[in-house]
Amino acid sequence: MRGAAPVRWHALTRGREVLLTAGALCAVILVVTAILAVALPQPEREEAERGLPQLAGAHEIGLGVAVAVDPLTHDPDYQSVVTDNYTSVTAENAMKWEHVQPERYQFDWNGPDAVVDFAEHHGLDVHGHTLLWHNQQPSWLARGDWDTGELREVMREHMEALLGRYQGRITSWDVINEPFEDHGPRPRENLWYQVLGEDYIAEALSMAHEIDPAAKLYINEFGIEGGGAKTDAMYSLVTDLLDRGVPLHGIGFQGHFVHGNVPRDLAEHMRRFSDLGLEVTVSELDVRIPEPPREQALRQQEQEYQHVVQACLEVPRCMSVSVWGVSDQHSWIPEWFPGYTAALPFDEDYEPKPALDGMVEALSRRP
Ligand code: G3I
């Protein structure tokens, strides 16, 4: 039986046979080329086809975004940015005390439910923000003449309502938000500090853990990302809490940065807390740029976003990077920092900016 004789060159010199063989050869070459064309650029094509959520998943980190209820429930473009690019959401304002319990014993679940329902419908995680904070308190709470027992009861009522309603649906909470003065290192003497005493943090964490034992409990702060007295004060607070067995699981590094001043040693400072066995996150990332945002600044912002995501990838137990807003149109920055703008990865028209490329670049490196 004739096997598959190797092609012998002299066989290719005969008339009709030559054409048939050459044609067959070309067909083989085309098929092989087609196979290689499909096979060879696999990594590049995969990268191109895999969006941010898939790239983040490959590194086992989350990508979050702060959301506002109105556009989340009414604006399809806003919704698409969230579902196409992120794996979790944080309610920018809807779960804060002034919105959840505007009057004592009167709870408004419309906003929180909208965020949680949207997240669950789209397979997104929800990070709870926030329980105890000095801002956005309803007037009945802020101006109450509370004694220790009364305020402790108020705290429990709120936690049982909010943590209880979303138990198992919201798996991590900012229990304590911004416990230090803006420029540190003194403790912020907020309502809780004044009435319950400086150990209110341990008390609140323990109460939250009693109400939802499965929830990961965080302290969330700004101004600790680049080291210094406030970072050291947070480290002292955290080590004391852990030494006493207080249920604390993570630290949120908010990451409200100014263009050109993103800490080069961000990973080092997150690692200090990660080395204690804690989870860490970049919880509220934005990089504000002076008006008008020039092309060069937007290009540099790409590197800054890449640097922050890369820092999270380098630190054990860094769980996620969350940006503080869906687009520059919805950013808190212009209202709070006049003269600054363009802080987020999507512009006013929901178009991706170089900052988004920076996040992709960091995540496109092999895990
Ligand atoms: O809800 C009212 C609305 O009824 C009214 O018409 C409107 C008039 O201006 O104000 C609305 O309230 C605004 C609220 O956001 C929306 O819920 C407040 O004026 C405004 O001050 C408030 O700003 C929020 C800020 O926290 C309050 O301190 C920002 O959106 C929010 O992005 C920002 O988020 C905080 C984090 O929770 C904690 N880390 C810092 C970060 C920036 O401050």
Side-chain angles (χ1 to χ4, degrees):
M1 181 178 79
R2 288 172 54 84
V7 176
R8 289 187 294 277
W9 289 108
H10 72 277
L12 297 183
T13 57
R14 281 196 302 267
R16 188 168 56 84
E17 281 181 352
V18 169
L19 285 179
L20 286 175
T21 307
L25 192 57
C26 287
V28 168
I29 290 169
L30 283 173
V31 168
V32 169
T33 305
I35 291 170
L36 289 177
V38 169
L40 273 186
Q42 193 71 11
E44 289 70 32
R45 200 180 74 235
E46 271 187 352
E47 302 300 9
E49 283 175 1
R50 288 195 302 176
L52 270 176
Q54 292 74 21
L55 291 173
H59 289 277
E60 296 181 339
I61 69 165
L63 285 182
V65 60
V67 292
V69 172
D70 184 59
L72 187 71
T73 49
H74 294 92
D75 181 339
D77 293 332
Y78 187 99
Q79 295 166 348
S80 297
V81 169
V82 174
T83 57
D84 291 349
N85 297 281
Y86 298 102
T87 61
S88 76
V89 294
T90 301
E92 183 177 9
N93 290 294
M95 293 186 190
K96 293 172 178 174
W97 206 307
E98 70 172 357
H99 294 289
V100 170
Q101 194 179 174
E103 296 297 340
R104 191 173 184 184
Y105 309 120
Q106 292 179 23
F107 294 92
D108 179 354
W109 300 117
N110 291 322
D113 282 353
V115 173
V116 175
D117 291 347
F118 180 91
E120 289 180 336
H121 181 73
H122 293 283
L124 306 174
D125 294 327
V126 182
H127 177 69
H129 177 80
T130 185
L131 294 173
L132 302 196
W133 193 28
H134 63 282
N135 267 346
Q136 295 182 269
Q137 296 176 359
S139 55
W140 68 268
L141 175 67
R143 288 202 282 274
D145 180 19
W146 307 105
D147 68 29
T148 306
E150 290 168 336
L151 191 63
R152 187 167 286 133
E153 185 50 36
V154 163
M155 184 165 76
R156 177 171 291 278
E157 288 163 6
H158 192 74
M159 284 196 188
E160 285 179 348
L162 188 48
L163 292 173
R165 185 178 182 86
Y166 301 110
Q167 188 160 6
R169 303 171 73 192
I170 296 179
T171 53
S172 61
W173 279 97
D174 290 337
V175 176
I176 308 294
N177 198 39
E178 303 173 6
F180 292 98
E181 288 184 351
D182 285 1
H183 305 291
R186 287 185 45 75
R188 190 184 299 274
E189 296 188 10
N190 56 37
L191 169 69
W192 320 102
Y193 182 100
Q194 292 170 22
V195 177
L196 300 180
E198 65 179 338
D199 211 26
Y200 80 93
I201 293 173
E203 186 170 350
L205 288 165
S206 301
M207 186 182 287
H209 184 63
E210 177 198 327
I211 294 165
D212 186 352
K216 295 293 183 66
L217 308 179
Y218 277 67
I219 298 174
N220 186 47
E221 183 60 277
F222 68 91
I224 59 172
E225 302 89 346
K230 192 169 181 178
T231 309
D232 295 342
M234 175 68 86
Y235 189 81
S236 298
L237 166 66
V238 163
T239 49
D240 171 62
L241 292 169
L242 294 175
D243 289 347
R244 290 192 284 149
V246 174
L248 171 66
H249 307 105
I251 302 297
F253 291 72
Q254 290 188 6
H256 292 299
F257 296 130
V258 181
H259 172 59
N261 290 293
V262 177
R264 298 308 305 162
D265 52 359
L266 170 61
E268 175 190 330
H269 298 296
M270 290 200 292
R271 193 177 287 109
R272 278 182 77 189
F273 294 82
S274 168
D275 286 349
L276 296 171
L278 290 169
E279 297 178 356
V280 293
T281 66
V282 177
S283 56
E284 305 184 12
L285 177 60
D286 46 35
V287 182
R288 56 186 182 267
I289 295 177
E291 294 266 20
R294 302 193 190 290
E295 186 60 29
Q296 184 189 9
L298 292 168
R299 282 285 164 218
Q300 289 167 346
Q301 190 184 53
E302 173 182 355
Q303 303 312 315
E304 292 169 325
Y305 268 81
Q306 179 179 356
H307 173 69
V308 173
V309 174
Q310 184 59 40
C312 183
L313 295 176
E314 290 170 6
V315 175
R317 283 177 294 282
C318 183
M319 307 303 287
S320 64
V321 174
S322 290
V323 298
W324 204 245
V326 169
S327 82
D328 289 339
Q329 178 191 150
H330 303 92
S331 172
W332 70 296
I333 292 294
E335 175 191 349
W336 288 75
F337 297 96
Y340 285 89
T341 187
L344 293 166
F346 286 86
D347 71 14
E348 303 271 346
D349 301 317
Y350 300 120
E351 292 299 323
K353 294 156 62 181
L356 191 75
D357 297 334
M359 297 171 76
V360 171
E361 284 151 23
L363 292 167
S364 295
R365 295 173 183 167
R366 286 279 164 258

